[in-house]
Amino acid sequence: MEKNNLKATIMGTRRDDPHGKFLDKISVTDGNYPSLLRINPILEWTHCQVWIFIREFNLPFCDLYK
């Protein structure tokens, strides 16, 4: 098995998402997860701000949201 050199992961969790109120902008994984930094850059964004960003940059998204 190849050794993974991954040090961090960028998350898409917002404060209003389930368990979002317990998160910090940067934290270390817990439980049985591999040791990584979890980075939450949109933690304080609103639902509306997320959609403005998606539309502004013409980003693809799941058809279920159409």
Side-chain angles (χ1 to χ4, degrees), residues 41-60:
I42 67 168
L43 193 61
E44 304 301 335
W45 286 22
T46 65
H47 181 82
C48 185
Q49 288 171 314
V50 171
W51 280 103
I52 289 170
F53 185 87
I54 289 170
R55 297 292 190 185
E56 181 70 24
F57 291 97
N58 198 31
L59 300 175

Side-chain angles (χ1 to χ4, degrees), residues 2-48:
E2 215 175 288
K3 184 173 177 174
N4 189 342
N5 292 322
L6 189 64
K7 307 258 189 271
T9 185
I10 298 174
M11 310 295 286
T13 307
R14 295 178 307 110
R15 188 70 67 200
D16 290 341
D17 291 337
H19 306 289
K21 64 182 177 183
F22 303 111
L23 298 177
D24 294 318
K25 289 203 177 203
I26 299 176
S27 62
V28 179
T29 51
D30 53 9
N32 294 328
Y33 292 102
S35 182
L36 292 171
L37 285 178
R38 286 181 179 156
I39 302 169
N40 297 293
I42 67 168
L43 193 61
E44 304 301 335
W45 286 22
T46 65
H47 181 82
C48 185

